[in-house]
Amino acid sequence: MADEQFHCLVDGDPVSLEGSLRLAELDAGLRNRIKRDYPQSKPTDYICGHHLLKYRLEHVDALINADMKQTKKINQKLTKALQSDDYDIIDVNDSLSESLTFGQKVSDDVARFGGSWGFIFVFMFVLIGWMIVNGLHLFGVNFDNYPFILLNLVLSCVAAIQAPIIMMSQNRSADRDRMMAENDYHVNLKSEHELRLLHAKVDHLAQNQVPHTMEIARFQLEILGEIRQELAELRAHDAGSSDSAKRRESPHENMDNS
């Protein structure tokens, strides 16, 4: 069986079973590449190691080029997505601080003090002091007798002035919240674009590039084995040629000695 001869699909030269492979034993990609050049080939046909080495090298180059094209396409999409969104991420607090007017500063300070325990304590102290002074006529003071009509007027005026000032501060807070929400939206949008493309790169790496790298490594080992086999055949051929040359020279030497 080892001496049985087969013919190569490419050039039709006879090859041994050890130095050739059937198309059915090859990978689908390599078999399709051979079948593209030789449509009449069948799975039972044989191809010699020399021509198979050529097709394996072409298949390895095709895998590398396909990975490079896919990676380049993903990088172009990532660059295009980053360039298409020209919105600059801003610091909302810095932006509002730079455009802050004197009235807005005052409204913020009033709203900050009006919503604190300090304002409550001061307010209670003024009310109680006002009622004690006017109710007990301390130090001869008697400018607002019971039921403290002037005090009610003062409180109404304070409430009337304080309410719009606090509303101005709340409007600024609403503007800040709106700007922060818009800024967060653009940040999330940019992050989503980048994450999608990064997922595409990772998926390409996991589904295509890593298997292709392993396949290329396997092909390299097979190519090295075929090269080693061809070198061994060449050495055996050279050794056989030298032996035959020595056998041809030996009768002449014997005749010369006689």
Side-chain angles (χ1 to χ4, degrees):
M1 188 67 180
D3 297 333
E4 186 177 353
Q5 295 292 320
F6 301 94
H7 293 279
C8 178
L9 170 66
V10 178
D11 53 13
D13 291 341
V15 293
S16 62
L17 183 61
E18 292 81 2
S20 62
L21 285 174
R22 287 191 306 170
L23 296 185
E25 299 174 357
L26 302 177
D27 292 334
L30 197 59
R31 186 167 59 249
N32 293 332
R33 184 173 293 275
I34 297 173
K35 198 169 183 62
R36 182 188 61 190
D37 294 338
Y38 300 94
Q40 75 281 2
S41 61
K42 296 178 293 184
T44 56
D45 292 336
Y46 285 81
I47 183 171
C48 64
H50 176 72
H51 293 98
L52 184 59
L53 177 62
K54 170 192 170 185
Y55 281 105
R56 278 178 172 162
L57 290 174
E58 291 179 356
H59 189 56
V60 168
D61 291 338
L63 292 176
I64 294 174
N65 292 331
D67 290 339
M68 291 179 63
K69 288 181 180 178
Q70 187 68 19
T71 303
K72 184 178 179 181
K73 186 183 298 184
I74 294 175
N75 290 333
Q76 288 176 350
K77 288 182 179 179
L78 179 60
T79 304
K80 185 177 179 181
L82 294 177
Q83 292 177 351
S84 62
D85 191 359
D86 55 354
Y87 180 82
D88 294 329
I89 307 302
I90 60 175
D91 190 344
V92 176
N93 293 322
D94 289 343
S95 178
L96 291 175
S97 298
E98 293 175 357
S99 61
L100 199 63
T101 63
F102 176 75
Q104 291 173 341
K105 291 181 180 179
V106 172
S107 65
D108 288 343
D109 293 337
V110 170
R112 189 179 300 109
F113 177 71
S116 64
W117 282 104
F119 172 77
I120 294 176
F121 291 144
V122 171
F123 186 73
M124 294 297 296
F125 177 77
V126 171
L127 287 179
I128 295 173
W130 184 296
M131 288 185 289
I132 291 176
V133 169
N134 287 277
L136 300 178
H137 305 290
L138 296 177
F139 311 109
V141 177
N142 186 15
F143 59 89
D144 187 20
N145 293 323
Y146 182 83
F148 310 115
I149 297 174
L150 182 60
L151 177 61
N152 290 328
L153 178 61
V154 172
L155 293 178
S156 300
C157 292
V158 170
I161 295 174
Q162 189 180 20
I165 294 177
I166 294 176
M167 288 181 64
M168 284 190 290
S169 179
Q170 289 178 347
N171 289 335
R172 290 196 63 255
S173 299
D175 292 338
R176 178 185 285 107
D177 294 339
R178 179 183 55 80
M179 292 180 64
M180 291 184 67
E182 184 179 358
N183 198 50
D184 291 341
Y185 168 74
H186 286 282
V187 171
N188 293 334
L189 192 62
K190 275 190 172 184
S191 301
E192 184 180 359
H193 282 313
E194 294 178 8
L195 286 175
R196 283 183 179 179
L197 293 171
L198 288 176
H199 275 300
K201 292 186 73 172
V202 172
D203 291 340
H204 168 67
L205 183 65
Q207 296 176 4
N208 296 325
Q209 197 163 353
V210 172
H212 285 178
T213 302
M214 297 177 65
E215 188 175 359
I216 289 171
R218 183 173 60 82
F219 276 131
Q220 288 175 344
L221 293 175
E222 293 177 355
I223 289 170
L224 288 175
E226 292 175 1
I227 292 175
R228 184 178 298 174
Q229 183 178 356
E230 290 190 1
L231 288 175
E233 291 177 357
L234 289 174
R235 288 173 182 172
H237 178 72
D238 292 340
S241 300
S242 61
D243 290 341
S244 61
K246 288 180 180 179
R247 285 196 294 270
R248 286 197 301 270
E249 290 177 358
S250 59
H252 295 290
E253 291 178 357
N254 294 329
M255 291 179 62
D256 293 338
N257 292 330
S258 60

